[in-house]
Structures are given as structure tokens and as C-alpha cells.
Amino acid sequence: MAFSHAIGAMKELYLENARDAFALCYLYAGPVRQALPLLRSALEDALYLDKRREKALSGREGFLWAVQEACNEFYEKDPFGRKKYKKHKKDTGDSVTLPFFLTDSLRAVLKLHGVYRAPLYLVLAREYTPEEAARILDTSPRRVEALIQKALKKLKFSREKAAQALSVLRLEEEDAARIWQRVEEAAAQPDFEKKHRSRRVWRGLDQAVPYLALAIVVLGIAAYLGVGQGWFTGEPYTPTQPIEGVITQEGYDGDSAVSLPIETGDVSVFVPEEGGFAEYIVHNTPYSPEDILRQMVYLGGAPAGVSLLSSSQESLSAVWELSEEAASLAGEEGERTLQAMAATIGGYYGDSLEELSLRCQGEELTVNGKAAQDFLGGQLTVTRTGETDYRE
């Protein structure tokens, strides 16, 4: 195993550059439950793959180049960060608490296309020169600067604001050391090469799936045209004529209409807690009022048992009719819950919402004389952030 001789040198390079290696993985994978497995995968690839091992051992820039290659592979396959890594029994991702918060500015950077994220981090937050960043990203210094300028324009950030947003990305030293320990333990297993080779094969098959799907579509089109033009029988296809006295209906499946898939993504749900509000980023949430409210109830950002009876949106206003459980809101706690509901719903609709009406039992829902409209667009004191998955 050639990689066994490189473990000591690779460990030294990793520990010296763990912060940047983790930051790159976080920028491309997002949540800690995906960033840490991606970091481990990147380190194992750097040990096992000959080209990456040789480049990684050349120094800091070569090592980060190897990490960036793994990030590129991850992003090309899963640009929206929806892939879920299987947890190892002793995966550090189960216990690591990141020493920074996901701020609005950082979230804005994470929404950029992946090509912009690493240049912003390396040059602005970590003060790599464009030449150094170009060697890590396998591009030219001119392109690095061009990507930074274009990203800042999209974000409407100054260089200082972008640097501040990204400079928080880091990993505690003890957590970085534990991740390397897991990599060493994996590399010491007799079947490490076999497992790694199998993983690479499956990864290659995953990358080939879109091309295989395209080939199947092309074959399907060819078959359809072939039948229609009579390529196989020598005679063009003649559609079956309706039988006299029988009514036919096209576009109906016999049971119900076909449902179109609902778009999903990350949604912020605000929950009152002592001293302020907690903000939960709920991943893979269907973009519908019913599902948004369901997550609010589940996390404590809406009254228990409340459901959505109806919703409507016209121009810049939205009206939600809530079930009778919403009437339980009362006192200071109820007012803070209504404030959290307005913030969550306002974030769901974004800048397109100027008027919000929450109704219950045919009347405007008010607590202490205040309605949701009174809180719409207001700033909350976020004391804690967290991440979770959508739940039915």
C-alpha cells in the first residue's frame, strides 16, 4: 500500500491546514453532517489515489488542491447539497458542534454557485494571493479575480463584508484531530483498498447515470419514430379508430389527475426561547404553506395541533386561515409565538410579501392587541441556530 508510507507526512499537512480543508468542504457540502464525511472522504482519496497523493504531499497548495478535487466531485454530483452520507458508527459528525453560527451573510454566500465560493474564501477571508488560490483551484489568477468580482456583484457585498462572513469558518483542533484518527483507523483496515476501490467504482457509475438516461431517452425516441414511420414493419402506423358508440377521453388516468412534483429546499423556522429566538434551518422542505406550518408546529414555532385550513396569495399580500388551535395563543408567550410565525412566513414568501393576515375562526388572529402584520419585516434577536431535516 503506497499510501501507508504517506500517512505521517499527510497528517502533518492536514493538521496545519485543517481549517482551510474543512472550510472548503463546508462551502460545498453545507451542513456539518455532510461537510465532515466529505472531509474524511477527501483525506482518504488524497491517501489512496496516486495523483492526488503525489500532489497533496507537495505542500500546502497541493494538499488543498486534493481537497478541492473531492469538493468538485461532490458538487458536480449534488449541486444542491441533498446527498446524505451514511454515518459511521464513530463518526465525529455525530458530536461536533461548530464554533460559529450560520449568519445571513454566510447563508447568502452558500446560495451562490459553487464556482464562486472557494475563491471568495481563499483570497478574501484567508488572504491567499490570486496566484496561490489559482494553483489550489486549478485555474488562472485572472479567473480567480474575475470570479470574486462577479460574486461580490451578485451578493452586493463589499470585499470586507464577504471576508468577515467567511472568516468564521473553522474547526476546533480536537475535532480536526479526531477526524484524522478516523482516517488512520480506516486506512489501517485490511480491506481499505478494496472498499475504497469499490467506492470509486460506484462514484463513477453515479456520474455515468445521466448519460445512460440520455441514451435510454434517445432509444425511446428512435423506437417511437420507428414504429410511427414503419421502419420495423414496412408500413406506417395507423392509430386505432374509436368504436362507434364508445366515448374516449384523453389525458385521464381513470382515477385522479397527475400531480406535479413540489420544489423543495431550505426554510428558516423561528422558535421563541429565553432571551430571543432560535432559528432552525429545515432542509428539503416542500415549498408549500401546509408543509411550512407543519415544521413550525413540530419545532415549537406555532401552537401545538394547529393546521392550515386555507391559504391565498395575491400580489404582495397573503392570507392564512388557521384551525381553532391557533386561538390558544395568549399573553407574552403567545405574542412571541405570533412574532415567530410572522418571521417564518415572511421569510418563506421573501421580499414579495408586504401584507400578512393570519385568521382563526373567521377573525384576524391577535395577541395582546397585535396581529401578524405588526411583526412582518421586523428583526428578531436570534440567540441560537440549528439544522434539521423536514419531517412529515
Side-chain angles (χ1 to χ4, degrees), residues 105-339:
S105 297
L106 180 55
R107 188 181 295 112
V109 174
L110 293 175
K111 289 180 179 179
L112 289 173
H113 189 279
V115 72
Y116 300 111
R117 303 175 194 176
L120 285 172
Y121 172 77
L122 292 171
V123 176
L124 301 188
R126 300 294 287 155
E127 297 184 348
Y128 285 75
T129 66
E131 290 74 21
E132 291 170 334
R135 287 191 285 271
I136 295 170
L137 303 176
D138 206 11
T139 187
S140 67
R142 178 177 295 181
R143 176 163 171 75
V144 168
E145 276 294 348
L147 289 172
I148 292 173
Q149 293 302 324
K150 192 170 182 179
L152 293 175
K153 185 176 181 181
K154 287 177 175 289
L155 292 168
K156 298 180 181 179
F157 283 2
S158 65
R159 295 176 76 93
E160 292 75 17
K161 183 175 180 178
Q164 183 179 9
L166 289 164
S167 62
V168 301
L169 296 178
R170 66 186 188 279
L171 192 63
E172 297 290 4
E173 291 184 4
E174 56 269 26
D175 292 327
R178 282 202 297 270
I179 290 172
W180 181 259
Q181 182 181 352
R182 301 289 182 252
V183 173
E184 281 191 330
E185 290 173 356
Q189 297 299 315
D191 58 348
F192 175 77
E193 284 188 284
K194 180 180 179 181
K195 287 183 177 180
H196 203 280
R197 189 181 304 113
S198 175
R199 181 163 62 86
R200 297 295 299 182
V201 169
W202 280 109
R203 186 180 299 176
L205 290 175
D206 283 344
Q207 294 173 343
V209 165
Y211 301 101
L212 293 175
L214 178 61
I216 292 173
V217 171
V218 171
L219 287 175
I221 294 174
Y224 174 80
L225 293 175
V227 171
Q229 300 298 320
W231 294 348
F232 307 113
T233 63
E235 297 180 2
Y237 170 72
T238 302
T240 302
Q241 299 298 318
I243 300 175
E244 185 176 354
V246 177
I247 300 174
T248 62
Q249 182 177 1
E250 297 180 356
Y252 180 71
D253 63 7
D255 293 312
S256 61
V258 177
S259 299
L260 295 175
I262 299 176
E263 184 182 358
T264 63
D266 292 349
V267 172
S268 289
V269 173
F270 295 93
V271 178
E273 65 177 20
E274 186 176 357
F277 295 82
E279 179 183 7
Y280 290 93
I281 310 301
V282 186
H283 302 293
N284 301 320
T285 303
Y287 288 142
S288 72
E290 293 83 357
D291 291 291
I292 302 299
L293 181 60
R294 185 178 295 118
Q295 303 315 295
M296 293 162 63
V297 173
Y298 174 78
L299 293 169
V306 72
S307 60
L308 186 65
L309 302 180
S310 66
S311 67
S312 62
Q313 182 187 15
E314 295 181 5
S315 185
L316 302 177
S317 66
V319 179
W320 285 24
E321 186 73 32
L322 305 176
S323 62
E324 61 183 12
E325 288 81 2
S328 64
L329 292 179
E332 182 180 351
E333 182 179 351
E335 182 179 334
R336 283 163 46 77
T337 300
L338 184 60
Q339 186 178 4

